[in-house]
Each structure stands twice: as structure tokens, then as C-alpha cells.
Amino acid sequence: MVSLKDDIQYLKGVGPVKARSFKGKGIEKVKDLLFYLPFRYEDREFIKPISRLELNTFSLVKGKILASMVSTTYRKKIKLFEMIVSDEAGILKVYFFNMPYLKNVLKEGETVYLYGKVVKDNYSKGYFSMQNPEFEIETKDDVSIHRGRIIPVYRRIGALNSKKIRELVFFVLKEVGEEVKEILPDSIIEKYSFPKRKDALKEIHFPVYKEKYPFSRSEFVESLNNFSTLFHKRMIYEEFFLFQIGLKFISRKYKRNKKGRSIVVDLKLKKYIGKILPFKLTEAQKRVMREIVEDLTSLQPMNRLLQGDVGSGKTIIALMSMLIVVKNGYQAVLMAPTEILAEQHFLNFKRILKDTKIKVSLLKSGLKNSEKKKVKEEIESGVIDILIGTHSVIEGDVCFKKLGLIVIDEQHRFGVIQRVKLYEKGITPDILVMTATPIPRTLALTLYGDLDISVIDQLPPNRMEVETFLFYPDQISRVYEQVLKELKKGNKGFFVFPIIEESEKMSLKSALEGYKTIKGIFSNYKVGLLHGRMKTGEKEKTMREFERGEIDILVSTTVVEVGIDVKDATFIVIEHAERFGLSQLHQLRGRVGRGGKKGKCFLIAYSQKSEDTLRRLNVFVSTNDGFKIAEEDLKLRGPGELGGIKQWGGGGFKFANILRDRKILERASTDAEFYIKNNLLSKEVFKKVKDFFDEEFKFINWG
Ligand code: ADP
Ligand code: MG
């Protein structure tokens, strides 16, 4: 007897060794196997006569093994097992690489089923062939789950290939599939005409096309492969719904949590800050500041997302917020995505705060152990008011005396889970997340839970749009001319390369190679080099030389991408622009033209072939609007581009993809809100929400 709750080890055909591989993939219990999804489906309903095979299609054939042999390939000395299979009307050549033992498995005279891609290649000499096809030997009691139907294909786990996993899943569904319990409220199932949970799981693993469907069989297979059948949608919805219920529950719990801090912003403090400010705030910055002050002075912890295009002036908002907290007797932390940026914030803040008694410190990896220890002690004793660093400042063993505010600059790694972790530790800081990436509201809600959004929708005065030009490699001398013009005016700028060093695999220009070339061409000017593999100290030194104007041209990798603020840089040349996402290019372009002088951006694109690339780059050339650019990115390059969203900090969804399934997420979120507000969730359903959450997020205290 099997039970869904059994340890996977005890499932027939698994055992301790395979169980270890399973557990490595998070499959601990028998039930978890049902949530290991096929990533692809193949229609193996029909056996295709060999004579009617089509090149480059996947097909199922059945035939007799006429001959077979093992040989060694000339070039790479690989063991090759080949056989000739015939279904009387046609001949198929079949190759297996590195599997000589198959000689004893697939014997001459046997009848086999083969499924694979039909090709003609060097080996097959004009015949159709298959390489490493999935195979099955015909047996007497000929029932099989591997053909005559739509087949699920699974990613291999350790020694278990797709076929083995298919057999295990089939067995589990057959034995205990009926035990899978419903989780969603009946009213939801009715509302969307969803299939029952157990039926959805069954169909997702072993889909059956039904005549009554209003679409064709091949359309059905296509929607299976897109994860867009009603069975998939139901499971996607379920994940979102449970997740949203849990999130909303937690948010409510902590909404009621007071932060136990009284922050006051009076006239005196306003004057104090006003004196420190190096410039007049824009209207948008003022509005955002008012929103933040309201949060800081309220009794509930702030959870605010600040969106503002590249160069819109988010840093000063961070500084002012931190000053408010510090002048009220608390500590503040600023987390940056890179050490270079942390260093820059540190120097910037020190400069602005040089006439105050406020103590700013930088915690970075380059510090000696004794120095690190000292910083940590000073944080614990409260000597340090403002701490700056990468995300390591909040993880690990750093203890604050009185932490009041965390500001997160340009990174999404700090999501709702991280926040709840702090809360559970009894720390309720105000949290401000700053980003230039325009995240759709629903996504932001999923990432950060119940949060408020502020937007800086205005650039500081005297900011001119960066002019952007697209060039091809054979026009590079024209780019050099333009750069020379800028240099002659006394300006400085960047050359950005996609990689540090050349590699055999990719024929890309590298920063090291570019550094040599550019030094040769602009021999009258000082050229510097900056990349991620340099030591922290060297990076800092180079950055400072560039800022002070001791370096005219900084050759670098994308380490300068985010946040770097060198006021009087005017030009940026981006090699292999086709390799970058538009949002990334926009960040890079945002490094120039920050100090009232016009900025110029030169893209050099190496693949002129792809129309799509050209179109993308032309969109980029034609607009400076970060929101438009992000949208274009989403359209053309897909979700990956909204960098960082994948690391939103949850255990991860099994069915759902927050970008692909945005619409379902929206519905589930609205429904969840409605069900919580109106108390429509039965105790039973709510218990299931907790179970679901506890599996992913064990630290949550539901009390
Ligand atoms: P981002 O939003 O990309 O982080 P920054 O905070 O780095 O932008 O600001 C970009 C540049 O604009 C900085 O050099 C900053 O000093 C300057 N800046 C910000 N706000 C103003 C303002 N209100 N007036 C003038 N310059 C400003
Ligand atoms: Mg910034």
C-alpha cells in the first residue's frame, strides 16, 4: 500500500539512493512527485510508417531489429551502437552514443517502439535516422504508458530518466490519485469552471484528448506545452490564491503590529535637513518626501516602493529619510547591489554630511577582519548612525542597537519573505525599496506584499536627454571621431564591453582587449580599466581617479551599470549593444549627461542580421523614457529581463510564473482579498493555506 504522505524512499522502485536524488529536488514524500511537472508533452498516439516519416519531426515508429553492431567513431572515439530497424515498408537507422551495453538489450529479431526526432545526417547515408530515441521492446501483454497517447516528458533526476519518472508518477496516480484532496473553495471552482484538483493533476501528467473539446488535438498538445490548459490554469490559480491569502494574512498581522518608535519631524528638523541639502528638490521629490514622512511618523512600519527613472534623484530621498530617522535617535541602513555603488553612496553621504556629527560607515568585503569586527561593534553600541553596504549588512551576525530604517537601492532580492523574517526576529524597521525598473503593481504586490508605491516622475532641472546613436563595427572610426571631439572639449566618458576577457566560446570583444586598443588610439589621453575581477581597493582607486578627472576614458564591463554617478561624464560607448537588454542599456546610458552637459550614447551592434535586434535598438535610440523601454523589453525579451524578479525571495511556485501568468495572479489576488475581507474562508480551507505556506516558509509564526 502506498500513501501520499509516505516518504518517497518507500515508493516501489525508489529506495534510499534514488530517494536522495529526489530529495535534492525537493521531492520528499510520495505526494511531492505529483507536483514534479512535465516540462514538455509529446503526442505519441499514432505509429508512423517509416516510409512516411518527415524530416525534423518527432515520431513514434514500430519495427523489427534486422541488424545491429557496436563500433567506435573515428573522430572522437565514442562508442556507437547502431541498428537497422524495418517495418517492412521502410528502413530506419538508429544510433545510440556511449551506450554499447544496449547491444544486449535491443537484440536482433525483437520488435521495438522508438520515439525520437527524424533526421538525415553523416552517419545515416541517405536513410532516415534517429539518435538516442526513447525505446521500448514489445512484450506479450502489450500495454504501455509510453505510447498510444500524449506523453509527459520530465527533466531527469539523478539516475532517473523521463521514462522512469513517468512510470513512477503513473503508479502513484493509479494507486492513490483519488486521495488528492480539494483545496480551493467550491465557490471558486464553480466561478471559473475549474476541474477538481485530483483531475487537474491527473490530466497534467497524463492528458487525454477528448472529442468534445472545442479545439483540435494538436491545439490541445500546443496548449499543454504552453501550460495554458484549464488543468494548468487551475493549478496556477491555486498557487497564487493560497499565496495571496497567506500574504494578506501576514500583512494584516503586522499591520496591527506597532513599530514602537516615535519619529517626529518638526520645523527644526526640516530646517536642519534643508541646510544640508546640496540642491533644491524637484516637485516630484518633495511629494515623495511628504509620503515617506507620513509613513515614518505613523505607528505602523513603512513598506514603500520608490520608483523613479534612471537619474531622477532617488539617492537624496534615501539620505533625507535616513537623516530623519537618525535625528530621532535611530540607526539606518542602505543596501546597494554592488560594492562599487555602496562605496559611491558612502563617499557621497560623507561629503554631504561632512559638517555634521552623523557617523556614516561602510561595511565591505575588502575590510580586514579586525576592521569588520570594529564596525560591527560600533553598530551594536550605536556609535554608527548610518551603515552602508551590500545585502550582507542585514544578513549574518550584524546586530543593531536601534535599527529604524532600511533602504534598499536597485535590487529586488529583498522581498516580503525577508521582511517577515525580520519581523519574526522582533525587528520592525521602516523599509524603503528604490528601483528604476517599473514593476507592474500586481507584481510589486507579489514581491513585496502589502506595499505602497511612490513615483518620482520628473527629472532634476537642466537635465538634457542623452542623445543616442546606433553604429555598426565598420563605422567604428566615426565613433572614435565623436569621442575625440568630446575629449577635446575636456569631457570624459565610458567604453563598456560585455565581457572581461576573450573566450573561445564566444567571439565577443572584451574589456581587456578593448583597453589595449583604446589606449593605442587615444594615446594623448589617460585610459583606465574597471572590471568585476579587480580587487575592491583597485576598483575604488580607479573610480576616484575617474571622478577627479585623472582618467579621461574608463574602459569597463557592466560593473558601472547601476547607480554610478559621475557628474561630468558625457559619453558612453557600448560595444555589442545587441547583447544587452534595453533596460540594461538604459541604466548604462543613465551614467552620462548628469551634470548639465549633454550626454551622448554610442551603441555598436555586431549582429545586423536579426531584424528583431535592429527594431529593439531603434526603439531604444528613439526614446529616453524608462517606462516605455521596460515595456518593450517585456514584449521582446520576455520575463527574464525584469532582472531580479526571479529572486523575489519565496520558495518558488511549481506551476505559476508571475510574469507569464500575470492575469491569473491579478484575479487570484482580488479573490483572496474578497474572501479574507468577508470571512468566507472555512476553517478547513484556511488550515490548508497554512499547510501550504508552512511547507515553503517554515519560519512564520501563525499565532
Ligand atoms: P537615481 O534616481 O538614478 O538614483 P541619483 O540619485 O543618482 O539618481 O541622481 C542623479 C543625479 O541628479 C545626481 O548627480 C544627483 O546629485 C542629481 N540630483 C538629484 N536631485 C536633484 C535636484 N533636485 N536638483 C539637481 N540635481 C539633482
Ligand atoms: Mg541610484
Side-chain angles (χ1 to χ4, degrees):
M1 271 305 288
V2 220
S3 150
L4 287 171
K5 291 195 188 100
D6 283 352
D7 190 305
I8 191 81
Q9 176 179 342
Y10 303 115
L11 186 62
K12 204 176 92 186
V14 177
V17 176
K18 287 171 187 153
R20 219 172 302 138
S21 308
F22 270 134
K23 287 177 183 175
K25 291 275 176 210
I27 301 167
E28 307 254 345
K29 294 177 176 171
V30 169
K31 135 184 111 50
D32 298 330
L33 197 56
L34 298 183
F35 293 86
Y36 188 70
L37 302 183
F39 74 102
R40 190 159 63 79
Y41 297 85
E42 290 170 357
D43 193 353
R44 300 190 196 169
E45 166 88 353
F46 307 106
I47 295 169
K48 199 135 193 186
I50 293 173
S51 57
R52 299 228 312 270
L53 288 175
E54 288 161 43
L55 263 187
N56 297 320
T57 58
F58 282 87
S59 299
L60 176 69
V61 301
K62 179 183 177 183
K64 199 168 182 178
I65 303 173
L66 296 186
S68 70
M69 66 180 273
V70 177
S71 62
T72 307
T73 61
Y74 287 121
R75 288 254 250 60
K76 295 190 178 159
K77 306 275 176 239
I78 291 171
K79 284 258 189 297
L80 181 71
F81 171 62
E82 53 186 307
M83 40 183 217
I84 292 171
V85 172
S86 166
D87 62 359
E88 283 165 9
I91 287 213
L92 181 73
K93 290 209 172 187
V94 184
Y95 304 94
F96 293 92
F97 295 93
N98 280 327
M99 291 186 263
Y101 52 86
L102 285 181
K103 175 91 178 142
N104 304 321
V105 180
L106 294 164
K107 297 192 188 114
E108 281 167 29
E110 301 235 59
T111 298
V112 285
Y113 293 90
L114 298 160
Y115 183 87
K117 191 173 175 183
V118 180
V119 294
K120 274 186 183 167
D121 57 20
N122 293 343
Y123 298 111
S124 62
K125 308 219 165 65
Y127 289 100
F128 283 126
S129 78
M130 285 183 183
Q131 295 187 358
N132 295 354
E134 210 175 285
F135 65 85
E136 207 180 347
I137 300 163
E138 186 181 47
T139 54
K140 282 200 194 71
D141 50 344
D142 193 33
V143 276
S144 170
I145 58 166
H146 307 294
R147 60 192 134 81
R149 65 191 315 154
I150 299 166
I151 297 299
V153 183
Y154 301 89
R155 291 224 155 78
R156 163 185 286 276
I157 298 181
L160 291 141
N161 62 16
S162 177
K163 196 171 154 191
K164 284 268 160 48
I165 295 172
R166 188 181 302 139
E167 283 162 6
L168 286 173
V169 174
F170 187 83
F171 177 74
V172 170
L173 277 171
K174 185 169 72 98
E175 294 295 312
V176 281
E178 286 301 311
E179 283 175 29
V180 173
K181 293 210 185 74
E182 188 51 67
I183 281 190
L184 290 176
D186 291 343
S187 47
I188 294 267
I189 293 188
E190 267 164 46
K191 181 175 168 188
Y192 298 110
S193 310
F194 277 150
K196 283 270 171 205
R197 192 166 197 248
K198 59 174 198 243
D199 297 330
L201 283 174
K202 236 181 249 172
E203 291 289 327
I204 283 171
H205 288 288
F206 291 95
V208 178
Y209 178 72
K210 299 182 185 72
E211 290 302 328
K212 64 174 190 209
Y213 286 161
F215 35 76
S216 71
R217 187 179 174 95
S218 62
E219 280 166 340
F220 181 55
V221 176
E222 196 181 322
S223 60
L224 282 166
N225 278 315
N226 293 331
F227 264 49
S228 65
T229 65
L230 197 58
F231 309 112
H232 283 99
K233 281 188 180 150
R234 188 229 120 97
M235 297 310 293
I236 292 166
Y237 178 96
E238 175 184 309
E239 277 189 317
F240 282 148
F241 183 76
L242 298 183
F243 185 68
Q244 290 293 322
I245 295 270
L247 270 193
K248 284 173 206 289
F249 176 83
I250 298 166
S251 298
R252 269 160 196 258
K253 179 178 163 189
Y254 290 110
K255 264 260 153 77
R256 276 180 263 119
N257 244 33
K258 303 284 192 289
K259 63 190 176 197
R261 234 186 339 268
S262 63
I263 299 270
V264 181
V265 182
D266 56 13
L267 206 61
K268 202 175 133 216
L269 181 52
K270 280 185 187 163
K271 272 194 182 154
Y272 174 86
I273 292 174
K275 251 192 231 150
I276 292 175
L277 274 187
F279 39 65
K280 237 180 108 224
L281 294 185
T282 61
E283 284 308 314
Q285 284 171 320
K286 281 186 201 161
R287 186 188 65 237
V288 166
M289 244 359 263
R290 279 195 296 273
E291 289 164 356
I292 290 173
V293 166
E294 198 155 302
D295 283 358
L296 290 176
T297 53
S298 112
L299 294 176
Q300 287 146 5
M302 166 167 81
N303 187 31
R304 189 169 283 280
L305 177 68
L306 172 57
Q307 297 192 339
D309 204 350
V310 177
S312 61
K314 295 184 289 291
T315 315
I316 198 71
I317 301 291
L319 179 58
M320 290 169 72
S321 310
M322 295 176 111
L323 283 178
I324 290 172
V325 169
V326 167
K327 292 306 274 184
N328 274 275
Y330 295 90
Q331 292 166 301
V333 162
L334 176 63
M335 294 196 302
T338 63
E339 292 224 321
I340 294 189
L341 192 53
E343 163 89 13
Q344 178 191 291
H345 281 318
F346 171 67
L347 295 174
N348 186 21
F349 283 15
K350 274 225 320 215
R351 198 155 45 215
I352 298 176
L353 300 176
K354 65 179 183 302
D355 297 327
T356 70
K357 290 204 184 82
I358 294 169
K359 167 118 176 147
V360 187
S361 276
L362 178 66
L363 193 60
K364 58 181 174 185
S365 62
L367 293 183
K368 286 194 207 105
N369 278 342
S370 58
E371 292 169 317
K372 259 188 207 158
K373 201 169 151 235
K374 184 161 172 265
V375 173
K376 283 179 188 170
E377 276 165 13
E378 289 182 349
I379 297 166
E380 206 165 344
S381 66
V383 172
I384 291 172
D385 299 304
I386 294 179
L387 180 69
I388 299 175
T390 58
H391 61 275
S392 62
V393 298
I394 201 77
E395 287 157 10
D397 55 350
V398 182
C399 296
F400 291 84
K401 187 172 183 223
K402 286 174 91 180
L403 179 60
L405 171 67
I406 301 178
V407 181
I408 298 121
D409 191 19
E410 303 285 6
Q411 64 170 346
H412 309 273
R413 225 171 296 161
F414 198 90
V416 62
I417 303 305
Q418 282 68 25
R419 182 163 54 99
V420 171
K421 267 187 187 165
L422 288 177
Y423 288 175
E424 291 291 349
K425 274 200 253 170
I427 310 168
T428 48
D430 288 306
I431 294 171
L432 179 65
V433 179
M434 310 197 296
T435 178
T437 312
I439 309 169
R441 191 177 168 81
T442 40
L443 280 190
L445 284 171
T446 308
L447 286 165
Y448 302 108
D450 207 0
L451 91 175
D452 304 297
I453 298 180
S454 291
V455 181
I456 307 183
D457 49 7
Q458 181 184 19
L459 293 181
N462 305 327
R463 188 68 58 77
M464 279 172 285
E465 291 207 333
V466 178
E467 220 178 329
T468 307
F469 308 89
L470 180 57
F471 286 100
Y472 297 110
D474 55 351
Q475 302 168 307
I476 192 102
S477 57
R478 285 173 56 198
V479 176
Y480 292 151
E481 271 166 39
Q482 295 282 330
V483 167
L484 192 62
K485 255 195 206 162
E486 291 295 314
L487 290 169
K488 278 186 176 155
K489 283 191 246 167
N491 294 332
K492 59 189 177 188
F494 307 88
F495 271 77
V496 178
F497 290 84
I499 50 171
I500 300 176
E501 225 170 333
E502 273 159 281
S503 79
E504 280 171 30
K505 273 188 233 132
M506 293 180 291
S507 57
L508 294 176
K509 280 209 194 172
S510 70
L512 289 177
E513 180 199 7
Y515 175 62
K516 273 190 220 144
T517 314
I518 290 159
K519 258 197 346 197
I521 291 172
F522 302 100
S523 50
N524 292 332
Y525 296 89
K526 185 102 199 311
V527 183
L529 178 67
L530 185 74
H531 62 72
R533 261 194 255 142
M534 285 161 56
K535 292 215 181 79
T536 310
E538 291 171 51
K539 282 192 241 173
E540 280 163 20
K541 187 167 157 272
T542 307
M543 260 329 279
R544 259 177 252 163
E545 283 172 1
F546 184 56
E547 270 178 57
R548 284 199 295 257
E550 290 156 20
I551 288 175
D552 305 300
I553 300 176
L554 187 61
V555 175
S556 87
T557 54
T558 51
V559 287
V560 298
E561 175 182 336
V562 185
I564 293 297
D565 186 40
V566 178
K567 287 266 183 325
D568 48 354
T570 64
F571 64 88
I572 182 161
V573 180
I574 305 172
E575 291 266 8
H576 287 285
E578 78 282 355
R579 302 269 309 176
F580 297 99
L582 296 191
S583 297
Q584 209 181 356
L585 288 176
H586 189 56
Q587 278 282 0
L588 285 167
R589 174 167 70 179
R591 300 309 118 222
V592 301
R594 295 183 145 230
K597 282 188 195 167
K598 188 161 187 63
K600 289 189 176 161
C601 171
F602 305 98
L603 307 177
I604 303 175
Y606 282 74
S607 68
Q608 305 175 36
K609 284 165 243 148
S610 153
E611 245 175 65
D612 205 40
T613 310
L614 255 188
R615 205 186 82 75
R616 246 167 22 90
L617 292 177
N618 277 316
V619 168
F620 180 73
V621 169
S622 69
T623 181
N624 263 269
D625 182 338
F627 279 69
K628 260 197 208 141
I629 286 166
E631 225 160 73
E632 192 67 26
D633 249 350
L634 249 181
K635 241 193 319 206
L636 289 167
R637 307 230 325 176
E641 219 21 61
L642 273 181
I645 275 192
K646 279 204 203 102
Q647 320 155 315
W648 54 280
F653 295 113
K654 298 198 172 71
F655 295 85
N657 170 322
I658 52 178
L659 282 159
R660 181 192 64 201
D661 306 320
R662 263 154 79 183
K663 291 228 171 69
I664 304 178
L665 172 59
E666 260 160 64
R667 274 195 220 151
S669 178
T670 317
D671 290 343
E673 183 72 41
F674 180 81
Y675 273 74
I676 284 204
K677 218 183 214 149
N678 297 300
N679 247 329
L680 290 176
L681 291 172
S682 65
K683 268 202 188 117
E684 220 190 344
V685 170
F686 195 68
K687 193 191 157 297
K688 279 167 194 154
V689 171
K690 279 193 203 172
D691 287 348
F692 171 83
F693 247 74
D694 283 347
E695 246 169 59
E696 298 288 340
F697 318 113
K698 295 195 173 65
F699 55 87
I700 290 173
N701 167 14
W702 295 92

